[in-house]
């Protein structure tokens, strides 16, 4: 029945796609007069060659894990949530309010409350487009994009006004109290006797992200809600037949998606900046779309894709630091990865399928 | 240019009345992985004849035709067109060889006109106007010749299915096809539309065209074909002259065992009313009243057949009763009122009230095609506490249960991990039926139970419906196939334009009387 073995579908195709993206990237680097081999070495060394590099790679990966999961969950209900960026911004606001205005005795309690706050704010920001889609048919792609702008403007307003400490010059909140500062990977690994860079921003939120991957997997493939979400995504008339309410599934799925995007804030706002700054999300909401596409909406795929994009981010930053290659080239490389793993999937898949069919025929 | 050359060559060798077969296949084999779809198939189709190919779903009919039309490449074997060995690597080559194909699912551009669809892919140049003018003239003469009348300027989405099919035939004829392959052409047609199609096919045969008709309906084979080939499990089991065979013999050749073409059943023993419907009204989103005060009842232990031409409100009735559509009026099940427009007008509440529903469109509604059979085996009943453990579903238990269920309902292959889309139509229907029947519902709503279902499965499905009746359950059967209504029902109601035209006992019903009511003419006896 299957055209090729599962391992080829899951491992071989993305690998070949990545290789193709790398080859084209190398050509582009050559074209601007730089040495691609040197560039790769710099990227690998910068992102994976030290615990400092790993610390940044994993920090970025954590952001992408949350936003990637957010997009992936919505994909299962055939909803395209482009609003991860705005939902993550609102998540940041949730974290900031929890950390600034409530007294916390220990970071662990603060983390739980902040995650809830971030999730709640993200979910609320996704709720409006969801209910508009479910009740009024306003397309969710359009509304979530617009809500990104509204979120940005809203945070702008708060950060130059109500949330800015009196007399401060930059648009950000006050520093969060010491008790809410999350342990970094250095703090976590030191008792185990593993040395990890003190300066890198990776923190315990990475583990929360991994946990989120596991929970999303359970949700989608093991729970009744996941069953209904996937059924709705495959066929709305069938969902209606089974007595699954399209309104309820649309709203609930989008709120879960929004909550996941919002929870990114425990990494970048609570774990790294330790205050809420302007444009804290730095486009991670959009990268989440690519991560979900590349990860085929599977939590494990999202995990791997998030690490890859974390590597590209950190490696790219190193590249622009040490060479004349501009930072924009990293966006080109990322775009190529998205192009080959997402859009041009069939270009690799079809020849490979044919090859496997031919092999099977020879074997038979 | 190429087409003209091929044309000349073909006429020289395959003129009507010649003794060379129009198409000859020799030793065609095709495997998909481990599945042998076609095994050493040889067949000769004489020019100017209608040749039927009959077989159950999955017997390899469509694969064979796809090879002939250049969609698949055969692993072995040769194709001769008009006595000449011909390679058909793609559909362009098939068209050049004079083969036209009318698919089961039409390949038309919905928002193009008939004329635009006809020239699509056969334009003469960069400018459309000359092609359109030429096609308009060609269509006019074809319409006169073969009763193939369609308004050339009508947009496809505005015309009926029967007419869309005529456009497909016109497309083939416009491309100079001498050999026409039709894949399950009557699956979507009403009886009058099917009659019209058969008239067209007879006209085409009279003009010397060769027609290959793929179907699983015995009646059609007997009615229209000259010769019939039977396929079973990828092999050609027999080719016989239609005049020298019988439906029973063909059914046996198809299935490989004796088949009961009639449903065996004892007289019904009706009990108390289970379903009572009073003055049910439905208005659709465009403001058209689809049900205009329907009243009927179904008692325990009987099958009420609802006859009618498709589109007269029977789909809406099923959807309202199944909780997929809101309505006004009164419905009681076992004496309990049913919520028709409030918060409990949904499929879950209906199931809790003891109503099971086998929907008309199993592929779009009754099943999630991408779900495995085991996941589909609880679809709609997935909130049953018995298959939950806390927030999780007991997948292993569901899988186990699905496996035994599939064996009991003879679903083939009995592999619960296979996605629904990989089963044949009949086996998909068995998955749905097993799910809906096994919880012992008080009322079963069943729409088009055997549409697109092969003959072996039809027998099985009919037996299951009668067994449920005999277990004292109420059954509301909706079908556009009058034969099926007559075979299964104890009472028959006829629906026309959203109203019940009349009711009669099945054993006293005459086809003529029912036909009149289906056309909206109320009979004297009608209640």
């Amino acid at each position: 029945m299957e055209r090729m073995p599962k391992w080829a579908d899951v491992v071989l195709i993305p690998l070949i796609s990545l290789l193709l993206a790398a080859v084209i990237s190398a050509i582009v680097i050559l074209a601007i007069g730089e040495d691609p081999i040197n560039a790769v070495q710099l990227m690998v060394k910068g992102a994976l060659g030290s615990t400092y590099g790993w610390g940044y790679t994993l920090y970025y990966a954590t952001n992408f894990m949350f936003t990637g999961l957010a997009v992936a969950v919505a994909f299962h209900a055939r909803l395209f949530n482009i609003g991860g960026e705005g939902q993550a911004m609102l998540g940041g606001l949730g974290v900031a309010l929890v950390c600034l205005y409530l007294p916390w005795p220990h970071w662990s309690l603060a983390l739980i409350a902040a995650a809830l706050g971030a999730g709640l704010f993200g979910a609320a920001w996704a709720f409006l487009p969801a209910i508009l889609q479910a009740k009024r048919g306003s397309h969710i792609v359009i509304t979530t994009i617009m809500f990104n702008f509204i979120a940005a403007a809203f945070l702008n307003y708060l950060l130059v006004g109500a949330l800015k400490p009196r007399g401060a010059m930059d648009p950000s909140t006050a520093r969060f109290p010491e008790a809410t500062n999350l342990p970094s990977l250095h703090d976590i690994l030191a008792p185990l006797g593993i040395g990890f860079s003190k300066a890198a921003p990776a923190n315990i939120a990475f583990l929360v992200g991994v946990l989120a991957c596991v929970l999303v997997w359970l949700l989608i493939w093991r729970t009744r809600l996941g069953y209904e979400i996937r059924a709705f995504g495959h066929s709305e008339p069938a969902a209606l037949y089974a007595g699954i309410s399209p309104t309820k599934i649309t709203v609930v799925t989008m709120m879960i998606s929004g909550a996941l995007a919002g929870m990114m804030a425990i990494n970048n706002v609570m774990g790294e900046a330790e205050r809420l700054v302007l444009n804290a999300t730095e486009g991670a909401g959009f990268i989440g779309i690519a991560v979900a596409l590349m990860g085929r909406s599977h939590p494990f795929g999202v995990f791997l894709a998030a690490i890859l994009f974390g590597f590209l981010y950190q490696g790219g930053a190193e590249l622009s630091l040490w060479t004349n290659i501009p930072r924009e080239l990293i966006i080109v490389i990322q775009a190529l990865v998205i192009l080959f793993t997402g859009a041009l999937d069939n270009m690799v898949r079809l020849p490979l399928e044919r090859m496997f069919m031919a092999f099977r025929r020879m074997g038979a | 240019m190429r087409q003209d050359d091929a044309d000349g060559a073909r006429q020289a060798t395959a003129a009507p009345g010649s003794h060379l077969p129009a198409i000859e296949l020799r030793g065609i084999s095709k495997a998909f992985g481990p599945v042998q779809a076609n095994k050493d198939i040889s067949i000769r189709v004489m020019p100017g004849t209608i040749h039927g190919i009959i077989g159950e779903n999955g017997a390899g009919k469509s694969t064979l035709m796809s090879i002939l039309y250049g969609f698949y490449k055969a692993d072995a074997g040769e194709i001769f067109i008009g006595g000449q060995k011909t390679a058909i690597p793609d559909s362009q080559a098939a068209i050049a060889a004079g083969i036209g194909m009318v698919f089961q699912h039409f390949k038309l551009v919905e928002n193009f006109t008939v004329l635009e669809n006809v020239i699509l892919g056969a334009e003469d140049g960069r400018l459309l106007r000359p092609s359109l003018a030429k096609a308009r003239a060609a269509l006019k003469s074809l319409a006169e010749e073969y009763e193939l009348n369609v308004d050339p300027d009508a947009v496809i989405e505005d015309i009926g299915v029967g007419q869309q099919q005529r456009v497909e035939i016109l497309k083939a004829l416009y491309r100079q096809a001498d050999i026409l392959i039709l894949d399950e052409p009557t699956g979507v047609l009403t009886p009058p539309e099917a009659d019209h199609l058969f008239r067209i096919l007879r006209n085409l045969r009279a003009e010397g065209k060769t027609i290959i008709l793929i179907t699983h309906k015995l009646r059609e084979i007997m009615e229209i074909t000259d010769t019939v080939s039977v396929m079973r499990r990828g092999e050609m089991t027999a080719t016989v002259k239609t005049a020298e065979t019988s439906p029973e013999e063909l059914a046996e050749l198809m299935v490989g065992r004796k088949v009961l073409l009639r449903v065996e059943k004892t007289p019904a023993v009706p009990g108390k009313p289970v379903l009572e419907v009073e003055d049910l009204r439905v208005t659709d989103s465009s403001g058209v009243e689809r049900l205009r005060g329907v009243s009927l009842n179904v008692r325990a232990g009987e099958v009420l057949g609802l006859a009618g031409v498709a589109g007269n409100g029977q789909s809406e009735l099923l959807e309202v009763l199944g909780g997929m559509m809101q309505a006004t009026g009164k419905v009681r099940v076992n004496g309990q009122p049913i919520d028709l427009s409030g918060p409990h007008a949904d499929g879950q509440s209906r199931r809790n009230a003891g109503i099971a529903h086998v929907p008309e469109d199993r592929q779009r509604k009754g099943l999630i095609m991408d779900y495995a059979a085991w996941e589909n085996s609880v679809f709609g009943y997935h909130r049953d506490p018995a298959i939950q453990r806390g927030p999780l579903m007991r997948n292993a238990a569901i899988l186990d249960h699905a496996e035994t269920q599939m064996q009991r309902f003879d679903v083939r292959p009995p592999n619960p991990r296979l996605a629904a889309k990989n089963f044949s139509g009949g086996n998909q229907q068995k998955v749905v039926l097993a799910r809906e029947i096994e919880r012992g519902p008080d009322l079963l709503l069943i729409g088009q139970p055997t549409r697109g279902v092969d003959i072996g499965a039809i027998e099985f499905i009919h037996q299951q419906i009668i067994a449920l009746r005999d277990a004292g359950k109420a059954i509301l059967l909706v079908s556009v196939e009058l034969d099926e209504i007559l075979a299964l029902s104890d009472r028959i109601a006829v629906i026309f334009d959203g109203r019940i035209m009349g009711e009669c006992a099945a054993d006293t019903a005459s086809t003529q009387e029912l036909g009149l009511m289906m056309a909206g003419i109320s009979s004297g006896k009608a209640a």
Side-chain angles (χ1 to χ4, degrees), chain B residues 33-341:
Chain B
V35 182
Q36 189 79 31
N38 283 165
K39 232 178 289 176
D40 190 24
I41 289 188
S42 297
I43 181 177
R44 294 158 66 96
V45 180
M46 299 310 285
T49 63
I50 300 182
H51 191 111
I53 295 185
I54 194 164
E56 294 198 279
N57 290 330
K61 295 169 298 191
S62 298
T63 305
L64 188 64
M65 291 307 123
S66 299
I67 289 170
L68 196 48
Y69 201 62
F71 279 174
Y72 297 138
K73 194 178 172 308
D75 299 336
E78 295 171 327
I79 301 173
F80 293 83
I81 308 280
Q84 279 194 328
K85 191 173 162 188
T86 311
I88 304 182
D90 53 31
S91 55
Q92 287 296 319
I95 292 168
I99 299 173
M101 182 107 176
V102 176
F103 293 94
Q104 192 175 359
H105 303 286
F106 306 146
K107 307 212 180 295
L108 297 170
V109 183
E110 292 267 309
N111 54 355
F112 271 20
T113 65
V114 169
L115 213 52
E116 286 167 334
N117 266 289
V118 167
I119 64 160
L120 185 64
E123 308 91 344
D124 292 321
R126 283 179 199 286
L127 290 176
L128 287 182
R129 195 178 285 270
S131 302
L132 285 169
K134 188 178 127 194
R136 189 183 293 277
L139 244 51
K140 194 154 176 281
S141 74
L142 287 172
E144 283 162 7
E145 213 172 338
Y146 302 115
E147 277 191 73
L148 270 164
N149 8 29
V150 198
D151 174 7
D153 297 312
V155 176
I156 295 297
E157 58 196 357
D158 297 336
I159 62 178
V161 196
Q163 298 214 28
Q164 292 184 8
Q165 189 173 54
R166 272 173 240 162
V167 178
E168 285 285 11
I169 298 175
L170 284 169
K171 266 168 66 182
L173 294 178
Y174 184 71
R175 287 161 177 71
Q176 313 286 328
D178 275 336
I179 300 160
L180 206 57
I181 304 170
L182 296 106
D183 189 4
E184 301 281 358
T186 60
V188 289
L189 302 184
T190 63
E193 281 173 330
D195 287 343
H196 190 150
L197 172 68
F198 286 172
R199 279 208 303 281
I200 292 169
L201 295 186
R202 287 198 188 95
N203 291 339
L204 288 167
R205 172 174 62 184
E207 290 295 316
K209 306 271 185 199
T210 308
I211 293 160
I212 298 180
L213 180 71
I214 303 166
T215 181
H216 62 265
K217 292 188 184 166
L218 290 168
R219 202 159 47 86
E220 290 171 5
I221 290 286
M222 298 310 292
E223 188 178 333
I224 195 168
T225 61
D226 301 303
T227 326
V228 52
S229 298
V230 184
M231 288 188 75
R232 171 154 47 98
R233 293 190 187 162
E235 289 181 83
M236 194 67 88
T237 50
T239 296
V240 289
K241 285 215 159 26
T242 310
E244 295 165 7
T245 185
S246 67
E248 287 77 15
E249 188 193 3
L250 288 177
E252 198 180 329
L253 284 167
M254 267 166 75
V255 185
R257 62 180 163 85
K258 284 233 178 288
V259 180
L260 287 173
L261 291 179
R262 292 203 59 81
V263 185
E264 302 254 310
K265 61 174 179 139
T266 53
V269 200
K272 63 179 177 57
V274 173
L275 173 70
E276 296 162 277
V277 177
E278 241 177 82
D279 195 32
L280 199 63
R281 288 170 189 276
V282 167
T283 305
D284 70 11
S285 53
S286 51
V288 181
E289 202 171 22
R290 292 289 174 183
L291 291 179
R292 307 163 182 247
V294 167
S295 298
L296 51 81
N297 64 73
V298 189
R299 284 176 292 174
E302 75 166 354
V303 177
L304 175 72
L306 190 62
V309 178
N312 275 291
Q314 56 272 67
S315 305
E316 286 78 4
L317 179 63
L318 282 183
E319 299 213 335
V320 166
L321 295 175
M324 301 166 71
M325 195 181 262
Q326 304 212 324
T328 60
K330 273 191 197 134
V331 174
R332 279 188 299 276
V333 172
N334 289 326
Q336 297 296 315
I338 294 290
D339 184 3
L340 293 177
S341 57

Side-chain angles (χ1 to χ4, degrees), chain A residues 222 227-228 231 235 241-242, chain B residues 348 357 371 375 382-383 393:
Chain A
R222 286 293 179 271
Y227 180 91
E228 294 195 346
S235 167
Y241 158 79
Chain B
Q348 285 296 317
H357 181 191
Y371 270 11
E375 287 175 296
H382 55 275
R383 292 188 196 163
M393 288 179 83

Side-chain angles (χ1 to χ4, degrees), chain A residues 65 69 208-218 260 299-300 302-303:
Chain A
M65 234 174 267
L69 286 175
V208 181
V210 174
L211 181 69
C213 288
V214 175
L215 289 178
V216 166
W217 179 80
L218 275 173
L260 283 164
F300 185 62
V302 166
F303 173 80

Side-chain angles (χ1 to χ4, degrees), chain A residues 1 78 218 221-232 234-245 248 357 360-361 364, chain B residues 33 35 75 324 346-348 351 357 359 364-368 370-371 375-376 378-380 382-383 388 391-393 395 418 435-436:
Chain A
M1 288 297 134
R78 199 158 290 173
L218 275 173
W221 276 284
R222 286 293 179 271
T223 67
R224 196 175 70 193
L225 180 60
Y227 180 91
E228 294 195 346
I229 289 174
R230 284 182 295 132
F232 174 75
H234 284 304
S235 167
E236 190 171 336
L240 205 61
Y241 158 79
I244 298 167
S245 157
K248 189 190 128 192
M357 299 278 266
R360 196 170 300 170
R361 209 168 300 138
Chain B
V35 182
D75 299 336
M324 301 166 71
D346 71 316
Q348 285 296 317
R351 284 174 180 81
H357 181 191
R364 245 165 57 83
K365 295 179 180 158
L367 294 166
I368 299 286
D370 286 310
Y371 270 11
E375 287 175 296
N376 273 303
V378 292
F379 189 55
H382 55 275
R383 292 188 196 163
Q388 320 279 330
L392 304 184
M393 288 179 83
N395 286 353
L418 210 56
R435 177 183 77 209
E436 299 301 322

Side-chain angles (χ1 to χ4, degrees), chain A residues 217-281:
Chain A
W217 179 80
L218 275 173
L219 167 76
I220 296 295
W221 276 284
R222 286 293 179 271
T223 67
R224 196 175 70 193
L225 180 60
Y227 180 91
E228 294 195 346
I229 289 174
R230 284 182 295 132
F232 174 75
H234 284 304
S235 167
E236 190 171 336
L240 205 61
Y241 158 79
I244 298 167
S245 157
T247 310
K248 189 190 128 192
I249 293 296
T250 303
V251 170
V252 169
T253 309
M254 278 303 287
M255 286 178 72
I256 293 173
S257 174
L260 283 164
M263 276 189 227
M264 180 190 118
I266 61 168
N267 186 46
N268 67 334
V269 176
M270 191 177 185
E272 199 253 347
E274 294 171 352
R275 59 184 181 140
L276 183 59
V277 299
L278 205 59
N279 190 25
T281 50

